[in-house]
Amino acid sequence: MNYTLPLFDYPLWWVVCSHDYVWYTGDLEYLSTYYINLVAVLDRWYPSVTDPATGLVTKGLNGTAGYGDYAFVPRQGPVTYYNALYVLALRRAAEMAVEAENDGDAERWRRRADEVAKALGERNFDKEAGAFWDGTNEGQFMDAHAQDGNSIAILADVVDKEKARGMLDYYSRVAARPYGNAFYDSDAVNEGFSQKVYAFVSYFELAARFMVGAGDSAIEEMKRLYGWMSRQDPGVTFWEGIGPEGKPYEDGYTSMAHGWATGLVPLMSGWVLGVKPTEPGFRTWSVAPETAGLRWARGVVPTPRGGGIRVEWEQGGDGDVRIQVRAAEGSRGVVGVPVGARGKVVELDGEVVYAGRDGARARYKEGRVLVDVEGKGTDCKVVVSVRRRPDNPWAFIRQAG
């Protein structure tokens, strides 16, 4: 297929990356300046390539058959990747609309995201494999399931966590290679695709694994992918892509030091260290580390207010966890300490805030206790720790109440 320069997916990446940029930097002037472009992308262009019969973005409509994407993959029809990315972009755009005080846009984009997610789950999910099909050929789904669409569908909340874990288990079984996970599970779309690894796309699978609590498998895959590149010539860079037998995917034309392979950095800072902004410019933030079988992590995430958010956490052999956070004075955040079941005691700076039931400053949610904290300045730490509940917990319950 002869591709033209326009890329079908890149406007959606611009939306997603704009959200990241504003949330990490607090640059609200950027949001104000380019908000009109956001509306044009989501309310004019992508609706123009949406099939009204299915509600799905469909490559081939409105003269887009020759459009490319990040890897110029020759796929057509209601491609899962494009639609999952559309859902993710709509959800991120809705958050930006709220910040811009355009509640009508936010509601419309949230509603459309839910509608596209529902249609995608009903039409593109392969129940036999337990994963999403990729795209179609002459109206029929090809026998292929892609890493990009399945991973981003998880990150965009197209599926629940139980189904997401099944999708990731399937992909581990069929796509694992000694040098990472291939970006397709078969060669139905193009020869050799089942042996190619893109670190760029692997980032989304790894993030999805952390998101659903499968951090151990994320660490294992990271070691295969980045460990492989670190053991090959030149030994100090990360590649654009890996081909069959673990060789550079375009031989001598492969970029051996590529920005697309840097997903390891946000994986470590945003998931393992656990630091993320929850409002623009880290106005509010969260620290929710995925321990993933690791014993400790330590690092600093830069913030616009200077000094960054400094986090140290360590895990004891009995599952006890201690998290230390240093953040700008007066800033507000939530520390999500992993506890597994409810039968743990959680302390904030030595004071019990949780002992099996929700309190004024702490609450249990999906295997974590979420503790509301306030930054004391980068020279003063906030300490959240968890330990097993004693045999007689009543005294602790009275303290935490």
Side-chain angles (χ1 to χ4, degrees), residues 138-149:
E138 297 182 354
Q140 299 296 316
F141 280 110
M142 302 185 72
D143 187 16
H145 309 83
Q147 184 185 37
D148 51 16

Side-chain angles (χ1 to χ4, degrees), residues 224-395:
R224 272 189 291 118
L225 171 58
Y226 288 94
W228 179 272
M229 290 187 284
S230 69
R231 293 190 298 271
Q232 313 304 313
D233 183 44
V236 293
T237 62
F238 296 139
W239 316 349
E240 180 179 4
I242 307 174
E245 300 179 5
K247 299 176 181 179
Y249 84 124
E250 289 186 339
D251 299 320
Y253 295 96
T254 302
S255 171
M256 301 298 284
H258 204 284
W260 279 11
T262 58
L264 183 65
V265 177
L267 288 169
M268 297 302 288
S269 61
W271 292 100
V272 175
L273 200 62
V275 181
K276 294 176 183 174
T278 52
E279 290 184 315
F282 286 88
R283 198 164 59 220
T284 60
W285 42 266
S286 67
V287 175
E290 294 290 338
T291 54
L294 303 174
R295 291 177 53 196
W296 62 273
R298 181 185 305 122
V300 182
V301 174
T303 65
R305 298 181 67 173
I309 297 177
R310 300 173 179 269
V311 176
E312 300 179 35
W313 65 257
E314 58 183 344
Q315 184 169 227
D318 55 1
D320 293 354
V321 180
R322 178 182 174 89
I323 304 173
Q324 301 181 41
V325 180
R326 291 176 171 85
E329 186 173 1
S331 66
R332 293 177 294 111
V334 174
V335 175
V337 58
V339 296
R342 290 178 178 268
K344 295 288 183 74
V345 173
V346 177
E347 296 179 349
L348 172 61
D349 293 334
E351 177 186 349
V352 175
V353 292
Y354 179 88
R357 68 181 186 186
D358 294 353
R361 299 188 64 181
R363 57 214 171 272
Y364 179 88
K365 183 179 181 181
E366 297 181 349
R368 294 181 184 273
V369 171
L370 307 179
V371 183
D372 297 324
V373 302
E374 187 171 306
K376 299 179 180 179
T378 54
D379 294 328
C380 299
K381 61 189 176 185
V382 175
V383 181
V384 178
S385 56
V386 58
R387 53 191 171 84
R388 277 186 289 187
R389 197 171 172 183
D391 293 334
N392 182 8
W394 295 109

Side-chain angles (χ1 to χ4, degrees), residues 20-77:
D20 286 352
Y21 171 73
V22 172
W23 256 240
Y24 275 85
T25 66
D27 187 352
L28 297 179
E29 183 179 353
Y30 172 94
L31 178 58
S32 176
T33 300
Y34 294 105
Y35 192 86
I36 188 173
N37 302 81
L38 194 71
V39 173
V41 167
L42 296 176
D43 285 353
R44 291 203 291 274
W45 198 81
Y46 280 98
S48 78
V49 291
T50 297
D51 185 344
T54 64
L56 295 176
V57 166
T58 302
K59 187 180 171 193
L61 296 180
N62 198 19
T64 59
Y67 281 30
D69 59 24
Y70 71 91
F72 292 93
V73 178
R75 47 189 170 187
Q76 296 291 323

Side-chain angles (χ1 to χ4, degrees), residues 33-288:
T33 300
Y34 294 105
Y35 192 86
I36 188 173
N37 302 81
L38 194 71
V39 173
V41 167
L42 296 176
D43 285 353
R44 291 203 291 274
W45 198 81
Y46 280 98
S48 78
V49 291
T50 297
D51 185 344
T54 64
L56 295 176
V57 166
T58 302
K59 187 180 171 193
L61 296 180
N62 198 19
T64 59
Y67 281 30
D69 59 24
Y70 71 91
F72 292 93
V73 178
R75 47 189 170 187
Q76 296 291 323
V79 175
T80 293
Y81 160 60
Y82 302 144
N83 283 280
L85 183 56
Y86 188 30
V87 174
L88 183 64
L90 286 164
R91 298 201 195 284
R92 295 292 186 268
E95 294 181 6
M96 289 189 281
V98 170
E99 186 64 33
E101 299 183 347
N102 291 312
D103 293 342
D105 291 345
E107 176 58 30
R108 182 174 65 259
W109 290 336
R110 281 193 293 260
R111 183 171 60 251
R112 194 188 312 161
D114 290 342
E115 291 169 352
V116 175
K118 184 174 184 291
L120 185 60
E122 291 174 348
R123 293 179 173 275
N124 285 33
F125 196 75
D126 177 5
K127 294 181 180 179
E128 183 175 346
F132 283 96
W133 298 110
D134 181 43
T136 60
N137 181 22
E138 297 182 354
Q140 299 296 316
F141 280 110
M142 302 185 72
D143 187 16
H145 309 83
Q147 184 185 37
D148 51 16
N150 281 280
S151 302
I152 295 173
I154 295 170
L155 296 175
D157 291 322
V158 173
V159 296
D160 60 30
K161 284 191 175 181
E162 181 179 358
K163 182 172 283 188
R165 291 188 185 101
M167 292 160 59
L168 293 169
D169 287 346
Y170 168 79
Y171 216 75
S172 291
R173 292 195 305 272
V174 300
R177 306 290 178 259
Y179 43 89
N181 283 4
F183 85 129
Y184 270 86
D185 66 342
S186 76
D187 291 340
V189 175
N190 211 355
E191 184 178 356
F193 273 18
S194 66
Q195 304 301 315
K196 288 186 177 181
V197 173
Y198 279 97
F200 165 59
V201 181
S202 293
Y203 164 80
F204 302 102
E205 183 193 342
L206 293 164
R209 290 182 182 278
F210 281 123
M211 179 178 170
V212 302
D216 289 5
S217 67
I219 295 295
E220 185 277 330
E221 185 180 340
M222 289 163 67
K223 289 180 177 179
R224 272 189 291 118
L225 171 58
Y226 288 94
W228 179 272
M229 290 187 284
S230 69
R231 293 190 298 271
Q232 313 304 313
D233 183 44
V236 293
T237 62
F238 296 139
W239 316 349
E240 180 179 4
I242 307 174
E245 300 179 5
K247 299 176 181 179
Y249 84 124
E250 289 186 339
D251 299 320
Y253 295 96
T254 302
S255 171
M256 301 298 284
H258 204 284
W260 279 11
T262 58
L264 183 65
V265 177
L267 288 169
M268 297 302 288
S269 61
W271 292 100
V272 175
L273 200 62
V275 181
K276 294 176 183 174
T278 52
E279 290 184 315
F282 286 88
R283 198 164 59 220
T284 60
W285 42 266
S286 67
V287 175

